[in-house]
Amino acid sequence: MKKLNIIILLLFNFICFSQEFKIPQIEFKEKNKSQNPYINLLNLKDENSLILKMGFQSYWYGGIHSNLIVFQNNAEVLRYDTFFSE
């Protein structure tokens, strides 16, 4: 009886707390009038990609080091490391 209760409890938890693993497609309502310069820099085919940029600048590096995360409409996630010298 205890084994049956444990099995029922486990199945109940799996069914109740499970989620469908699906990345939603990013849809933009309007087109941007100016083109993002990172699309050409990173050679992206999708012009409607969502680009997150985190960067820092230091005296010792003599430039700007940036980490870019690109979310594309086909559910691909790309990561780039860039360095721009001054």
Side-chain angles (χ1 to χ4, degrees), residues 20-37:
E20 182 182 0
F21 186 74
K22 183 178 178 184
I23 299 173
Q25 183 176 358
I26 300 172
E27 296 181 14
F28 296 97
K29 294 181 181 177
E30 298 177 3
K31 286 233 175 199
N32 198 0
K33 294 181 182 176
S34 62
Q35 186 178 8
N36 191 342

Side-chain angles (χ1 to χ4, degrees), residues 53-69:
K53 177 185 173 190
M54 299 178 292
F56 61 91
Q57 182 175 6
S58 174
Y59 173 77
W60 302 107
Y61 293 122
I64 300 172
H65 183 262
S66 300
N67 296 321
L68 297 143
I69 300 173

Side-chain angles (χ1 to χ4, degrees), residues 14-25:
F14 287 141
I15 293 170
C16 290
F17 298 112
S18 64
Q19 296 180 10
E20 182 182 0
F21 186 74
K22 183 178 178 184
I23 299 173
Q25 183 176 358

